[in-house]
Amino acid sequence: MLRTALRNLLAHKARLAMTVLAVSLGVTFVSGTLVFADSTAAAHRAAASKNFAGIDVTVTEKAPEPGTNGGSRTGVLDDTLVTELARVPGVAAVRPSADGSATLNAADGSPLRADQARSHLAGAYVPGKDGKDSRHPLTEGRAPANSGEIAVDRGTAAAGRFHVGDTITLATDGPVMTKRLVGIVTTDDSRVTTGGTLVLFDKATAQRLFAAPGHYTGIDLTAAAGTTAYELADRITAVLPADRAEATTGQAQAAQQAILVDTLTRGYEKVPMVFAGVSLFIGSFLIVNTFTMLVKRRTRETALLRAIGASRRQVSRSVLLEALVVGLAASAAGFLLGLGVAVVLPRLLGGDSTLPSGPLVIGPRPVVAALGVGVGVTVLAAWLPSRRAARTSPVEAMRTAEQPPPAQRFRLRGAVGLGLLVLGAGRLVSLSGAKDASEENLRDAMAGCGLFAAALIVLAPLLAAPVIRLTGRLTGRFGVTGRLARENALRDPRRTAATAATLLISTGLVTGLAVIGHSTGQALDRQAAAGLGADYVVSTRSTTTGIDPGALRRLAHTPGVRAAHAITDSTLFTGSGVRQISGVDPATARDTMKLDFVSGSAENLAPGRIAVSTTLARDNGVTTGGMLNVQMGRAGKSTTYRVVGVYKDNPVARDALGSRAEIAANSFLPGSVQRVLLRTDGPATAALENRLRTAVGNNPLLKVQDREQLVREAAGTMGDLLDVMYGMLGIGVVISALGIVNTLAMSVAERTREIGALRALGMDRAGVRRMIRLEALTVAGFGTLLGLAGGLFGAWAVGSLANGAIEQYTLVLPWGTLLLVCLLSLAIAVPAAAVPARRAAALSPLEAAANT
């Protein structure tokens, strides 16, 4: 039986190659993602180790204790402490630092890498005895010598198009500043080399900006030969005031960064793993279909084996052995392709050099995963065909005609399919009235979609005949070849359904995501536009500073500005979680926010009184006139507030509204302003926007956006969903093409005599090719039609949950996207049928007679 299995593999190697390709796609994403994650984590750890090279101990101030209203730094890290630490036995070198953050404008005036996910480091250029800073070697120019000069790293200079001698606009935690660039340095800090920026000041300026004159934010120490980092840390700790400063080893800091790295790299795995799951799920249908057709073609051969003594178990093991070999081949091919994916992923995910470079790290995890996934999926998918092969009786060897499946099997399939359909559709319909996007409802929706998809797959052979007869009217317009193509697709409904299942799943998944994504994007657009009464919004990118008073005054007096309303944003801790509260002027709130109050009004806002959104009111069970116990901002204790109004959810107003004077006094940044809403005399223009940017000094920490820009920003997250959606469609199309090629190739081999007879009756080669192509289009159309119907139904049912999270949500069909999905799904049938059609057209009547 082993030799028989190997012989069968060699006899059908071309057809099984399609299965290998389908499985290897999933293995590629799995192994490639794991290699990428291991390699990225190793590169981050290596970069972190390089960051702390030469640092054995770092001394920092202790953070303020909780409940001290934020506190203030004790200022213990000064020149006196530096001198004292230098005298500690075992200290070879002491290097104080004054570090913070600074955001720059590029040469064209736009904020440089202003995304908050990036690091915008700033510090002091601290020369050693040789006059050079060993951490920041100069490559061009000189070190900053006074408060008007800075140096930047080479990557920042390239990204901002800076040259020595340029005047650069930047901001640290307040008003904008202008400095002259006098030097360009290099750095090994991974926070900078992976997409961040670095600005260096002279020591006195850095101390004034980030600490205090004569003080530092940290002190790095290097141990002398013969002294370990832990020994030095103990000696340093004995010198430090226990309640004001602490010593940490360089290894401990590197370990902390490694934890952050692991969290970061786990996030990079999500999208590729989604593609891997989709490709393996869709590919499993191709495996089942391929082995089912192979088993069916070898019915007489299997029956002869049974007649000469082969047991059912031996026959089943023979098919599973073939699947095992196919799985091993797919695992090997997928793993090799995965190495290429691991090389490409940093460019796709990292974008602007956000990931460190390093060698590929191939550990045991991706190898085991490749083998487990490739072999496991293939053998599992081949299990049902192996069972069918084992049920072949010896008498099948004497039959010359193919026997149709028993009628009871179709009845059983219909009963199972209808049961799944009732369960899945019933669960989805029950959710259609729900307005709560809770975790439980989302789980129910996913379960309902899974049951509904399984029902379509089970019922597909029963639906094939009526659907294909309906769509066959289009192919019938091509005459005899069209009618023959339709009848060929109907000849074996199970095979047609199995071939179309890949397109059914991918088209249904993409259709559902496209409809929900498009509807959500439209809802976010409407929500952002409906909640904003202002024409412009000026906001801060920084979480540590607000908009300075000078900028507020200049904005209010900018020509074209009719009114400027300041808003203080803070955090609200409630029983239902962490929320956001906006401090506004009650008298002018309605001028810049389109507030739709269900009850109460904003005019009643005052100290001790707040208004809440409908979601916050529902989650905490309060109404207008009720009391809500919350903790606001930096306040160390809970306070009870009276609710004076409930308004419909509004992204501009956030979760709650309060009096600005009270919110500003209790925020983490007392007295600060995070947003300014502007009403103008006319429509938004480029000239007015430039005047507003000038009014805030072109501060890179501040954003100036009109209504249209705010709406685009609110809907910007839909771009990621669309990218995933089209990726899934691409995977489905590729695997569907492989399935169509496989099915048609086997179908042509089975119909050799029939095709030869058609040729003998006068059908030319072009007609044969057209017949095969139309058959492929018929199968693809069947899968696409079922997928569209299933995806639209799922999107309609699940969309109500989105309505619970976004009040303005309504189902909107993206007709252009749906048309594109249909065209892509159908278009793949033509190239997929090319090889089988050419092979069929090459058959002659004499060759057909020779195969009888």
Side-chain angles (χ1 to χ4, degrees):
M1 294 302 295
L2 176 61
R3 288 194 296 271
T4 301
L6 295 177
R7 180 183 60 80
N8 285 330
L9 277 173
L10 294 175
H12 304 97
K13 54 183 179 294
R15 292 159 192 168
L16 289 174
M18 303 295 177
T19 304
V20 171
L21 285 175
V23 179
S24 64
L25 279 177
V27 176
T28 294
F29 283 112
V30 171
S31 61
T33 301
L34 293 178
V35 170
F36 161 74
D38 291 345
S39 302
T40 303
H44 271 291
R45 285 192 292 269
S49 298
K50 189 180 262 189
N51 292 346
F52 295 103
I55 299 176
D56 293 298
V57 177
T58 297
V59 176
T60 55
E61 292 187 20
K62 283 190 174 181
E65 293 294 331
T68 59
N69 292 335
S72 59
R73 292 295 182 179
T74 58
V76 68
L77 306 185
D78 54 15
D79 290 322
T80 302
L81 181 61
V82 171
T83 303
E84 186 177 355
L85 293 177
R87 298 195 188 102
V88 174
V91 173
V94 180
R95 186 186 185 281
S97 59
D99 298 329
S101 65
T103 306
L104 305 91
N105 277 337
D108 61 1
S110 62
L112 178 62
R113 294 175 173 173
D115 185 0
Q116 291 185 10
R118 301 180 187 271
S119 298
H120 302 284
L121 305 183
Y125 185 93
V126 183
K129 295 180 180 180
D130 58 355
K132 300 178 181 178
D133 188 336
S134 59
R135 286 204 185 171
H136 307 115
L138 281 164
T139 61
E140 188 177 348
R142 60 174 177 82
N146 55 61
S147 61
E149 299 176 344
I150 61 170
V152 300
D153 72 285
R154 187 164 51 189
T156 300
R161 297 182 179 179
F162 301 141
H163 301 90
V164 172
D166 288 351
T167 298
I168 297 177
T169 302
L170 70 153
T172 53
D173 60 354
V176 69
M177 301 178 288
T178 56
K179 307 288 183 182
R180 191 166 70 90
L181 179 64
V182 296
I184 297 176
V185 303
T186 60
T187 180
D188 292 327
D189 195 323
S190 59
R191 295 170 296 177
V192 179
T193 58
T194 57
T197 60
L198 172 66
V199 181
L200 296 176
F201 302 88
D202 66 286
K203 187 173 76 170
T205 302
Q207 288 177 320
R208 177 174 54 82
L209 290 173
F210 309 123
H215 291 73
Y216 306 96
T217 58
I219 303 173
D220 298 328
L221 301 103
T222 304
T227 302
T228 67
Y230 295 101
E231 291 173 344
L232 183 59
D234 290 339
R235 297 173 189 173
I236 295 298
T237 301
V239 174
L240 297 175
D243 59 337
R244 301 173 67 189
E246 59 187 348
T248 308
T249 63
Q251 293 95 322
Q253 295 179 76
Q256 290 174 358
Q257 277 202 8
I259 295 174
L260 295 176
V261 166
D262 290 339
T263 304
L264 176 65
T265 53
R266 278 199 299 271
Y268 290 143
E269 297 178 22
K270 292 180 181 178
V271 173
M273 282 300 186
V274 169
F275 289 153
V278 171
S279 60
L280 288 170
F281 179 67
I282 298 176
S284 63
F285 290 95
L286 175 57
I287 300 169
V288 172
N289 198 24
T290 300
F291 277 95
T292 299
M293 289 188 291
L294 288 174
V295 166
K296 193 172 182 180
R297 285 203 63 198
R298 300 203 307 254
T299 298
R300 296 183 65 188
E301 176 187 329
T302 305
L304 286 173
L305 289 173
R306 295 277 287 114
I308 62 175
S311 66
R312 290 189 174 187
R313 182 172 296 180
Q314 285 177 313
V315 171
S316 178
R317 286 177 178 175
S318 175
V319 176
L320 291 178
L321 178 61
E322 294 180 42
L324 175 63
V325 176
V326 170
L328 288 173
S331 297
F335 183 77
L336 293 176
L337 291 173
L339 297 180
V341 170
V343 173
V344 174
L345 270 179
R347 299 188 183 94
L348 298 179
L349 298 178
D352 190 15
S353 300
T354 59
L355 297 174
S357 59
L360 286 182
V361 176
I362 304 175
R365 189 172 64 144
V367 176
V368 172
L371 286 173
V373 169
V375 174
V377 170
T378 308
V379 172
L380 186 63
W383 181 75
L384 280 177
S386 73
R387 298 270 297 175
R388 291 174 187 162
R391 287 197 299 265
T392 304
S393 62
V395 74
E396 299 288 338
M398 296 183 292
R399 290 176 177 163
T400 58
E402 181 180 312
Q403 298 299 310
Q408 60 266 27
R409 287 192 187 175
F410 280 98
R411 288 195 291 270
L412 178 61
R413 178 184 287 269
V416 173
L418 285 176
L420 291 173
L421 186 65
V422 170
L423 289 174
R427 178 167 288 191
L428 290 176
V429 170
S430 68
L431 289 172
S432 63
K435 301 295 183 182
D436 182 14
S438 64
E439 186 176 347
E440 182 181 357
N441 282 343
L442 289 175
R443 282 198 301 266
D444 288 342
M446 293 179 65
C449 289
L451 290 171
F452 188 75
L456 289 180
I457 293 169
V458 173
L459 292 174
L462 304 179
L463 296 173
V467 173
I468 290 177
R469 285 195 177 96
L470 179 64
T471 59
R473 296 179 181 179
L474 296 176
T475 57
R477 295 178 179 273
F478 290 89
V480 176
T481 55
R483 290 193 293 273
L484 287 173
R486 180 187 62 193
E487 295 304 318
N488 287 333
L490 290 172
R491 178 178 300 183
D492 190 340
R494 289 189 303 174
R495 177 187 297 180
T496 298
T499 305
T502 54
L503 272 179
L504 187 158
I505 296 299
S506 59
T507 304
L509 187 61
V510 170
T511 298
L513 287 175
V515 173
I516 294 175
H518 181 72
S519 301
T520 303
Q522 294 290 315
L524 289 173
D525 287 356
R526 290 191 295 271
Q527 188 180 63
L532 181 65
D535 300 299
Y536 281 91
V537 176
V538 179
S539 58
T540 177
R541 291 186 172 94
S542 174
T543 59
T544 60
T545 185
I547 302 173
D548 66 279
L552 287 175
R553 289 191 296 271
R554 292 192 296 272
L555 286 170
H557 292 91
T558 299
V561 174
R562 189 171 68 221
H565 302 288
I567 297 179
T568 296
D569 294 319
S570 188
T571 305
L572 197 68
F573 301 92
T574 70
S576 60
V578 181
R579 306 300 179 96
Q580 288 182 306
I581 185 169
S582 298
V584 298
D585 182 352
T588 60
R590 287 186 177 274
D591 293 339
T592 50
M593 296 180 182
K594 293 182 179 179
L595 298 171
D596 186 1
F597 272 86
V598 177
S599 59
S601 68
E603 283 76 8
N604 295 324
L605 292 174
R609 298 181 177 186
I610 61 174
V612 298
S613 66
T614 52
T615 298
L616 183 59
R618 182 189 66 230
D619 292 347
N620 290 273
V622 296
T623 57
T624 299
M627 307 299 290
L628 182 62
N629 187 266
V630 299
Q631 180 180 333
M632 187 184 301
R634 65 192 181 96
K637 60 180 181 179
S638 297
T639 305
T640 300
Y641 288 85
R642 179 173 296 279
V643 177
V644 297
V646 177
Y647 55 89
K648 291 185 177 180
D649 289 0
N650 187 314
V652 181
R654 308 290 168 86
D655 301 301
L657 288 173
S659 169
R660 190 166 79 84
E662 182 178 23
I663 304 302
N666 290 288
S667 68
F668 288 104
L669 300 171
S672 65
V673 170
Q674 279 69 45
R675 290 180 291 162
V676 181
L677 306 186
L678 304 173
R679 294 295 299 272
T680 60
D681 295 327
T685 62
L688 178 55
E689 182 175 340
N690 288 333
R691 289 199 296 271
L692 294 176
R693 293 188 184 278
T694 301
V696 297
N698 287 319
N699 193 326
L701 292 177
L702 301 181
K703 294 189 292 184
V704 178
Q705 297 171 293
D706 59 24
R707 292 170 58 87
E708 183 179 349
Q709 291 168 335
L710 284 167
V711 169
R712 285 202 305 267
E713 184 180 69
T717 54
M718 288 299 104
D720 295 335
L721 176 61
L722 292 175
D723 291 341
V724 174
M725 179 191 73
Y726 288 121
M728 289 179 180
L729 178 60
I731 291 172
V733 165
V734 170
I735 297 178
S736 299
L738 297 176
I740 292 173
V741 171
N742 235 11
T743 301
L744 290 180
M746 292 188 180
S747 179
V748 167
E750 291 176 355
R751 303 198 317 251
T752 299
R753 292 174 62 190
E754 175 187 323
I755 294 172
L758 291 173
R759 294 279 287 114
L761 291 173
M763 181 178 285
D764 58 10
R765 296 189 175 190
V768 173
R769 287 194 294 269
R770 188 181 307 114
M771 179 183 68
I772 301 298
R773 292 193 185 104
L774 289 175
E775 183 179 347
L777 277 172
T778 301
V779 174
F782 172 62
T784 302
L785 189 61
L786 280 188
L788 278 173
L792 290 174
F793 177 75
W796 167 78
V798 177
S800 62
L801 301 183
N803 198 351
I806 306 174
E807 191 169 344
Q808 286 83 355
Y809 182 92
T810 55
L811 192 70
V812 181
L813 297 183
W815 294 107
T817 302
L818 295 180
L819 179 61
L820 177 62
V821 170
C822 292
L823 291 177
L824 286 175
S825 299
L826 292 174
I828 196 62
V830 176
V835 174
R838 188 168 61 248
R839 188 171 297 173
L843 289 173
S844 67
L846 291 178
E847 290 175 324
N851 288 323
T852 58

Short mmCIF file of all heavy atoms in Angstrom, two decimals, residues 509-548:
data_model
loop_
_atom_site.label_atom_id
_atom_site.label_comp_id
_atom_site.label_asym_id
_atom_site.label_seq_id
_atom_site.Cartn_x
_atom_site.Cartn_y
_atom_site.Cartn_z
N LEU A 509 -16.89 37.07 2.72
CA LEU A 509 -16.15 37.77 3.77
C LEU A 509 -15.84 39.20 3.34
O LEU A 509 -16.04 40.16 4.11
CB LEU A 509 -14.85 37.01 4.05
CG LEU A 509 -14.00 37.48 5.23
CD1 LEU A 509 -14.78 37.36 6.52
CD2 LEU A 509 -12.73 36.65 5.31
N VAL A 510 -15.38 39.36 2.12
CA VAL A 510 -15.01 40.70 1.65
C VAL A 510 -16.25 41.57 1.48
O VAL A 510 -16.24 42.76 1.82
CB VAL A 510 -14.24 40.59 0.32
CG1 VAL A 510 -14.06 41.95 -0.32
CG2 VAL A 510 -12.89 39.95 0.55
N THR A 511 -17.34 40.99 0.98
CA THR A 511 -18.58 41.77 0.82
C THR A 511 -19.08 42.29 2.16
O THR A 511 -19.43 43.46 2.30
CB THR A 511 -19.66 40.91 0.15
OG1 THR A 511 -19.22 40.51 -1.15
CG2 THR A 511 -20.96 41.67 0.04
N GLY A 512 -19.11 41.40 3.17
CA GLY A 512 -19.57 41.83 4.48
C GLY A 512 -18.71 42.92 5.07
O GLY A 512 -19.21 43.93 5.59
N LEU A 513 -17.37 42.75 4.98
CA LEU A 513 -16.47 43.76 5.52
C LEU A 513 -16.59 45.08 4.74
O LEU A 513 -16.52 46.16 5.33
CB LEU A 513 -15.03 43.26 5.46
CG LEU A 513 -14.64 42.18 6.47
CD1 LEU A 513 -13.23 41.69 6.21
CD2 LEU A 513 -14.75 42.71 7.89
N ALA A 514 -16.75 44.97 3.42
CA ALA A 514 -16.85 46.19 2.61
C ALA A 514 -18.09 46.99 2.97
O ALA A 514 -18.04 48.22 3.11
CB ALA A 514 -16.86 45.82 1.13
N VAL A 515 -19.22 46.30 3.14
CA VAL A 515 -20.46 47.00 3.45
C VAL A 515 -20.39 47.63 4.85
O VAL A 515 -20.73 48.81 5.04
CB VAL A 515 -21.66 46.04 3.36
CG1 VAL A 515 -22.93 46.72 3.86
CG2 VAL A 515 -21.84 45.57 1.92
N ILE A 516 -19.92 46.85 5.84
CA ILE A 516 -19.82 47.38 7.20
C ILE A 516 -18.80 48.51 7.26
O ILE A 516 -19.03 49.55 7.89
CB ILE A 516 -19.45 46.26 8.18
CG1 ILE A 516 -20.60 45.25 8.28
CG2 ILE A 516 -19.14 46.82 9.55
CD1 ILE A 516 -20.28 44.05 9.13
N GLY A 517 -17.64 48.33 6.60
CA GLY A 517 -16.62 49.37 6.60
C GLY A 517 -17.09 50.65 5.94
O GLY A 517 -16.88 51.76 6.46
N HIS A 518 -17.76 50.51 4.79
CA HIS A 518 -18.25 51.70 4.09
C HIS A 518 -19.34 52.40 4.90
O HIS A 518 -19.35 53.64 5.03
CB HIS A 518 -18.80 51.29 2.73
CG HIS A 518 -19.30 52.43 1.90
ND1 HIS A 518 -18.47 53.35 1.29
CD2 HIS A 518 -20.57 52.83 1.58
CE1 HIS A 518 -19.19 54.24 0.64
NE2 HIS A 518 -20.46 53.96 0.80
N SER A 519 -20.25 51.62 5.47
CA SER A 519 -21.33 52.21 6.27
C SER A 519 -20.78 52.90 7.51
O SER A 519 -21.24 53.98 7.89
CB SER A 519 -22.33 51.13 6.67
OG SER A 519 -22.88 50.48 5.52
N THR A 520 -19.79 52.27 8.14
CA THR A 520 -19.18 52.88 9.32
C THR A 520 -18.46 54.17 8.97
O THR A 520 -18.53 55.17 9.69
CB THR A 520 -18.20 51.89 9.98
OG1 THR A 520 -18.89 50.69 10.31
CG2 THR A 520 -17.60 52.48 11.25
N GLY A 521 -17.73 54.15 7.85
CA GLY A 521 -17.03 55.36 7.42
C GLY A 521 -17.99 56.50 7.15
O GLY A 521 -17.76 57.66 7.55
N GLN A 522 -19.12 56.19 6.47
CA GLN A 522 -20.12 57.23 6.22
C GLN A 522 -20.72 57.75 7.52
O GLN A 522 -20.96 58.95 7.68
CB GLN A 522 -21.23 56.64 5.33
CG GLN A 522 -20.79 56.27 3.93
CD GLN A 522 -20.48 57.49 3.08
OE1 GLN A 522 -21.23 58.47 3.08
NE2 GLN A 522 -19.37 57.46 2.37
N ALA A 523 -20.93 56.82 8.48
CA ALA A 523 -21.50 57.25 9.77
C ALA A 523 -20.53 58.15 10.52
O ALA A 523 -20.94 59.14 11.14
CB ALA A 523 -21.84 56.01 10.61
N LEU A 524 -19.24 57.79 10.50
CA LEU A 524 -18.24 58.63 11.16
C LEU A 524 -18.17 60.01 10.52
O LEU A 524 -18.00 61.03 11.20
CB LEU A 524 -16.87 57.94 11.12
CG LEU A 524 -16.72 56.71 12.01
CD1 LEU A 524 -15.38 56.04 11.75
CD2 LEU A 524 -16.85 57.09 13.47
N ASP A 525 -18.29 60.05 9.18
CA ASP A 525 -18.33 61.34 8.49
C ASP A 525 -19.50 62.19 8.99
O ASP A 525 -19.34 63.37 9.32
CB ASP A 525 -18.47 61.12 6.98
CG ASP A 525 -17.19 60.60 6.36
OD1 ASP A 525 -16.18 60.49 7.09
OD2 ASP A 525 -17.19 60.29 5.16
N ARG A 526 -20.67 61.56 9.03
CA ARG A 526 -21.86 62.31 9.47
C ARG A 526 -21.74 62.73 10.93
O ARG A 526 -22.14 63.83 11.30
CB ARG A 526 -23.11 61.46 9.25
CG ARG A 526 -23.48 61.26 7.81
CD ARG A 526 -24.86 60.64 7.69
NE ARG A 526 -24.89 59.31 8.24
CZ ARG A 526 -24.62 58.20 7.56
NH1 ARG A 526 -24.29 58.29 6.29
NH2 ARG A 526 -24.68 57.02 8.13
N GLN A 527 -21.19 61.82 11.76
CA GLN A 527 -21.07 62.13 13.18
C GLN A 527 -20.13 63.30 13.41
O GLN A 527 -20.41 64.21 14.20
CB GLN A 527 -20.59 60.91 13.94
CG GLN A 527 -20.62 61.05 15.45
CD GLN A 527 -20.12 59.82 16.15
OE1 GLN A 527 -18.96 59.45 16.00
NE2 GLN A 527 -20.96 59.18 16.91
N ALA A 528 -18.97 63.27 12.71
CA ALA A 528 -18.01 64.35 12.88
C ALA A 528 -18.58 65.68 12.39
O ALA A 528 -18.39 66.73 13.02
CB ALA A 528 -16.71 64.02 12.15
N ALA A 529 -19.30 65.63 11.27
CA ALA A 529 -19.85 66.87 10.72
C ALA A 529 -21.03 67.37 11.56
O ALA A 529 -21.20 68.57 11.76
CB ALA A 529 -20.31 66.63 9.28
N ALA A 530 -21.84 66.41 12.08
CA ALA A 530 -23.02 66.82 12.83
C ALA A 530 -22.68 67.40 14.19
O ALA A 530 -23.41 68.24 14.72
CB ALA A 530 -23.95 65.62 13.01
N GLY A 531 -21.58 66.97 14.80
CA GLY A 531 -21.28 67.41 16.15
C GLY A 531 -20.48 68.69 16.22
O GLY A 531 -20.29 69.23 17.31
N LEU A 532 -20.01 69.19 15.10
CA LEU A 532 -19.11 70.35 15.12
C LEU A 532 -19.80 71.57 14.53
O LEU A 532 -20.21 71.56 13.37
CB LEU A 532 -17.84 70.03 14.33
CG LEU A 532 -16.79 71.14 14.28
CD1 LEU A 532 -16.23 71.43 15.67
CD2 LEU A 532 -15.64 70.75 13.34
N GLY A 533 -19.93 72.60 15.34
CA GLY A 533 -20.49 73.84 14.85
C GLY A 533 -19.43 74.84 14.47
O GLY A 533 -19.73 75.88 13.87
N ALA A 534 -18.18 74.57 14.81
CA ALA A 534 -17.08 75.49 14.50
C ALA A 534 -16.59 75.26 13.08
O ALA A 534 -16.85 74.23 12.46
CB ALA A 534 -15.93 75.28 15.48
N ASP A 535 -15.86 76.26 12.57
CA ASP A 535 -15.30 76.15 11.22
C ASP A 535 -13.87 75.61 11.24
O ASP A 535 -13.44 74.98 10.29
CB ASP A 535 -15.31 77.53 10.55
CG ASP A 535 -16.72 78.09 10.45
OD1 ASP A 535 -17.55 77.44 9.78
OD2 ASP A 535 -16.99 79.14 11.05
N TYR A 536 -13.14 75.84 12.33
CA TYR A 536 -11.78 75.35 12.49
C TYR A 536 -11.60 74.85 13.92
O TYR A 536 -12.24 75.34 14.85
CB TYR A 536 -10.73 76.44 12.22
CG TYR A 536 -10.46 76.72 10.77
CD1 TYR A 536 -11.19 77.69 10.09
CD2 TYR A 536 -9.49 76.00 10.08
CE1 TYR A 536 -10.95 77.95 8.75
CE2 TYR A 536 -9.24 76.26 8.73
CZ TYR A 536 -9.96 77.23 8.07
OH TYR A 536 -9.72 77.48 6.75
N VAL A 537 -10.70 73.89 14.08
CA VAL A 537 -10.32 73.40 15.40
C VAL A 537 -8.81 73.43 15.49
O VAL A 537 -8.12 72.87 14.62
CB VAL A 537 -10.83 71.97 15.66
CG1 VAL A 537 -10.32 71.46 17.01
CG2 VAL A 537 -12.35 71.94 15.64
N VAL A 538 -8.28 74.08 16.51
CA VAL A 538 -6.85 74.07 16.81
C VAL A 538 -6.67 73.18 18.03
O VAL A 538 -7.27 73.43 19.07
CB VAL A 538 -6.32 75.49 17.07
CG1 VAL A 538 -4.82 75.43 17.39
CG2 VAL A 538 -6.58 76.39 15.87
N SER A 539 -5.86 72.15 17.91
CA SER A 539 -5.67 71.20 19.01
C SER A 539 -4.19 70.87 19.16
O SER A 539 -3.38 71.13 18.26
CB SER A 539 -6.47 69.92 18.76
OG SER A 539 -6.08 69.32 17.53
N THR A 540 -3.86 70.30 20.31
CA THR A 540 -2.46 69.98 20.59
C THR A 540 -2.20 68.50 20.40
O THR A 540 -3.05 67.66 20.70
CB THR A 540 -2.08 70.39 22.02
OG1 THR A 540 -0.73 70.01 22.29
CG2 THR A 540 -2.99 69.75 23.05
N ARG A 541 -1.04 68.18 19.86
CA ARG A 541 -0.62 66.79 19.72
C ARG A 541 0.00 66.26 21.01
O ARG A 541 0.10 65.07 21.20
CB ARG A 541 0.42 66.65 18.60
CG ARG A 541 -0.12 66.87 17.20
CD ARG A 541 0.97 66.56 16.18
NE ARG A 541 0.46 66.58 14.82
CZ ARG A 541 0.51 67.64 14.03
NH1 ARG A 541 1.05 68.76 14.48
NH2 ARG A 541 0.02 67.59 12.81
N SER A 542 0.44 67.14 21.85
CA SER A 542 1.17 66.75 23.05
C SER A 542 0.21 66.38 24.17
O SER A 542 -0.84 66.98 24.34
CB SER A 542 2.08 67.90 23.52
OG SER A 542 2.68 67.59 24.76
N THR A 543 0.58 65.35 24.92
CA THR A 543 -0.19 64.95 26.10
C THR A 543 0.35 65.60 27.37
O THR A 543 -0.21 65.40 28.44
CB THR A 543 -0.17 63.43 26.26
OG1 THR A 543 1.19 62.99 26.38
CG2 THR A 543 -0.82 62.75 25.07
N THR A 544 1.44 66.34 27.26
CA THR A 544 2.08 66.93 28.44
C THR A 544 1.98 68.44 28.47
O THR A 544 2.50 69.07 29.40
CB THR A 544 3.57 66.54 28.49
OG1 THR A 544 4.23 67.02 27.31
CG2 THR A 544 3.72 65.03 28.57
N THR A 545 1.34 69.04 27.49
CA THR A 545 1.23 70.50 27.48
C THR A 545 -0.02 70.90 26.74
O THR A 545 -0.60 70.13 25.96
CB THR A 545 2.46 71.13 26.80
OG1 THR A 545 2.38 72.54 26.90
CG2 THR A 545 2.53 70.74 25.33
N GLY A 546 -0.46 72.12 26.97
CA GLY A 546 -1.63 72.65 26.29
C GLY A 546 -1.24 73.76 25.34
O GLY A 546 -0.08 73.96 24.99
N ILE A 547 -2.24 74.52 24.91
CA ILE A 547 -2.03 75.65 24.01
C ILE A 547 -1.74 76.88 24.87
O ILE A 547 -2.51 77.21 25.79
CB ILE A 547 -3.27 75.87 23.14
CG1 ILE A 547 -3.58 74.60 22.34
CG2 ILE A 547 -3.07 77.06 22.20
CD1 ILE A 547 -4.89 74.66 21.58
N ASP A 548 -0.63 77.54 24.59
CA ASP A 548 -0.22 78.63 25.47
C ASP A 548 -1.15 79.84 25.33
O ASP A 548 -1.78 80.04 24.27
CB ASP A 548 1.23 79.03 25.16
CG ASP A 548 1.38 79.64 23.79
OD1 ASP A 548 1.45 78.85 22.81
OD2 ASP A 548 1.39 80.86 23.67
#
